[in-house]
Amino acid sequence: MSIDIKAPTFPESVADGTVATWHKQPGEACSADDLIVDIETDKVVLEVVAPADGVIKEIIKNEGDTVLSDEVIALFEEGAAGSAGAAAPAKEAASASSAETTTAGETGDGDKVGPAARKLIEENNLDASQIPATGKGGGITKEDVQNYLKNKPAAPAAAAPAAAAAAAPVNVPAGERTEKRVPMTRLRATIAKRLVEAQQNAAMLTTYNEVNMKPVMDLRSQYKDLFEKTHNGTRLGFMSFFVKAATEALKRFPAVNASIDGNDMVYHGYQDIGVAVSTDRGLMVPVLRDTDSMSLADIESTIRDFGVRGRDGKLGMNDMQGGTFTITNGGVFGSLMSTPILNPPQTAILGMHKIQERPMAVNGEVVVLPMMYLALSYDHRMIDGKEAVQFLVTIKDLLEDPARMLLDI
């Protein structure tokens, strides 16, 4: 029986998507719920799985094609028997024979590498013969490549150009500078567009302050083991304190929790805080809903879930829609100070940074304390400088005396 394979149903905020990767080819055997194609939208990558056991009869939309919501992208033959590894499309064969020959092809293992795995190998200049294969018939799967990348030891900076030179079919003169042109993914292009629009359309300013993290660090050190035991392995981090402090500050300064819609100012009677998560596909901002009613354990476990699903490409549309305020943490990468860019239509974003010990004057004495710079970027069309500064000072005061958050004072 023939079945139409359709693109997912996109929400109203997403007009269309792009076919990113076909994981199965025509004639290749599929089991029910096998991943067959990735559809990339402006916000997330959606997965389409096989509706039953069978084979793909025909691919209607190729990689790179634009698709609409519920549009037919392939025909599927239920119950039909297929080959364990169908031939790749002609365009892939042509690509393999071009100057940018994949490492898999050079090792003679190209026929055992699936399209998704081949793409990852090519993008990361990997040697397919070094990747442990777990697929059927000794084939290399996308998961094999991802696992190899996670466990691969860091190479020196010059390793990538050297590997590319060694793989070239001709002798490359010493000191040759190589370049590789890769088109932007749809998600990366959308991120770039939104960031530029935010700077062009908003009157964006940034105010800074610093916070003594010792009280939070002492509290965390004192209770982290008991916290983890009580909450089924959920670890007590710093982000939950910042989310709680931001929630309280947003209630005191409604303009910071508002958004601009044309000539209207929209004040939200709830706090939905987005937490920026860095993934291989780009920066994503899943949203914590109703943070005022969430406990520290709820916040930590949800953020951890966001991180895991973000790395695995499992974040959905609903996870990232909405949001009244955003927190981004460049400190995990070592940033000491930065200027975060607004996440429209929100009017403010809080930037966390690296905790650094610094000599501070306390009651006339010099004391070494773990300090963090905070940055609040805000839209001056909506928020006055006085409100922005007071908002940031409120967060500072709550973090330097965390008992106030627990006592609601």
Side-chain angles (χ1 to χ4, degrees):
M1 181 177 69
S2 182
I3 301 174
D4 290 342
I5 301 295
K6 296 182 179 181
T9 302
F10 303 144
E12 293 182 3
S13 59
V14 177
D16 52 37
T18 301
V19 178
T21 306
W22 278 103
H23 299 285
K24 299 289 185 180
Q25 300 302 323
E28 187 173 353
C30 302
S31 298
D33 297 326
D34 276 357
L35 174 61
I36 57 175
V37 63
D38 289 333
I39 306 293
E40 189 175 57
T41 71
D42 293 344
K43 296 183 178 181
V44 294
V45 175
L46 303 174
E47 297 180 343
V48 178
V49 300
D53 294 344
V55 298
I56 295 178
K57 185 178 179 181
E58 178 187 355
I59 290 178
I60 298 174
K61 292 290 186 177
N62 295 314
E63 293 181 5
D65 289 351
T66 299
V67 295
L68 302 176
S69 182
D70 293 323
E71 184 176 3
V72 177
I73 59 176
L75 300 179
F76 187 86
E77 191 70 26
E78 182 180 359
S83 60
K91 65 175 183 178
E92 291 184 3
S95 175
S97 63
S98 67
E100 293 184 1
T101 303
T102 65
T103 308
E106 290 154 9
T107 60
D109 295 329
D111 59 334
K112 295 184 179 180
V113 182
R118 181 181 293 108
K119 185 177 180 182
L120 280 177
I121 291 172
E122 190 175 327
E123 290 175 350
N124 293 278
N125 293 319
L126 302 178
D127 183 351
S129 64
Q130 301 297 319
I131 301 174
T134 63
K136 188 174 181 180
I140 297 176
T141 66
K142 179 181 178 182
E143 289 72 22
D144 292 335
V145 182
Q146 290 173 333
N147 291 333
Y148 178 78
L149 287 171
K150 289 179 183 178
N151 300 320
K152 180 184 177 185
V170 296
N171 293 327
V172 180
E176 182 72 15
R177 299 188 301 171
T178 60
E179 291 182 349
K180 182 178 181 180
R181 186 180 296 270
V182 179
M184 275 191 180
T185 64
R186 186 186 182 100
L187 181 60
R188 172 57 63 186
T190 301
I191 292 172
K193 179 181 177 181
R194 286 174 60 85
L195 292 179
V196 171
E197 287 178 348
Q199 290 183 306
Q200 291 178 339
N201 299 329
M204 193 175 77
L205 280 77
T206 304
T207 183
Y208 300 92
N209 213 314
E210 57 184 353
V211 56
N212 173 17
M213 293 296 295
K214 190 173 188 304
V216 170
M217 293 174 72
D218 289 345
L219 186 65
R220 180 173 176 265
S221 178
Q222 182 178 355
Y223 292 108
K224 65 178 182 179
D225 292 337
L226 181 59
F227 185 92
E228 186 173 350
K229 181 179 179 181
T230 303
H231 297 289
N232 300 320
T234 299
R235 295 181 179 179
L236 180 61
F238 294 117
M239 185 60 81
S240 55
F241 289 97
F242 279 86
V243 170
K244 273 299 183 184
T247 300
E248 179 58 34
L250 290 171
K251 290 192 290 184
R252 299 184 189 183
F253 299 93
V256 185
N257 194 48
S259 59
I260 294 179
D261 183 11
N263 291 324
D264 296 331
M265 297 183 295
V266 183
Y267 291 89
H268 307 289
Y270 51 88
Q271 295 78 38
D272 287 354
I273 297 180
V275 180
V277 175
S278 179
T279 72
D280 293 339
R281 293 188 174 104
L283 191 69
M284 297 185 177
V285 188
V287 179
L288 297 164
R289 312 286 178 183
D290 295 314
T291 54
D292 186 36
S293 61
M294 297 180 74
S295 66
L296 295 179
D298 292 335
I299 295 171
E300 291 291 351
S301 62
T302 305
I303 291 175
R304 181 182 179 185
D305 177 60
F306 284 157
V308 171
R309 289 196 287 139
R311 288 192 299 271
D312 295 341
K314 301 296 185 182
L315 286 173
M317 294 285 189
N318 293 334
D319 294 319
M320 291 184 285
Q321 288 184 325
T324 61
F325 185 74
T326 296
I327 299 177
T328 180
N329 184 9
V332 295
F333 305 110
S335 173
L336 190 61
M337 182 178 286
S338 65
T339 302
I341 300 179
L342 295 174
N343 183 21
Q346 298 170 21
T347 54
I349 180 173
L350 176 69
M352 298 167 55
H353 298 93
K354 179 183 178 182
I355 299 174
Q356 181 114 338
E357 288 191 342
R358 295 200 298 274
M360 304 295 294
V362 180
N363 297 325
E365 296 182 354
V366 177
V367 181
V368 176
L369 295 173
M371 304 298 294
M372 176 192 288
Y373 287 119
L374 299 179
L376 180 76
S377 292
Y378 61 99
D379 192 338
H380 211 339
R381 297 177 301 168
M382 181 78 189
I383 304 169
D384 292 332
K386 176 184 176 181
E387 288 178 299
V389 171
Q390 289 178 331
F391 175 87
L392 199 55
V393 169
T394 298
I395 290 180
K396 169 186 169 69
D397 291 343
L398 291 171
L399 291 171
E400 292 184 341
D401 188 4
R404 295 177 62 180
M405 286 187 284
L406 303 177
L407 298 174
D408 196 21
I409 56 176

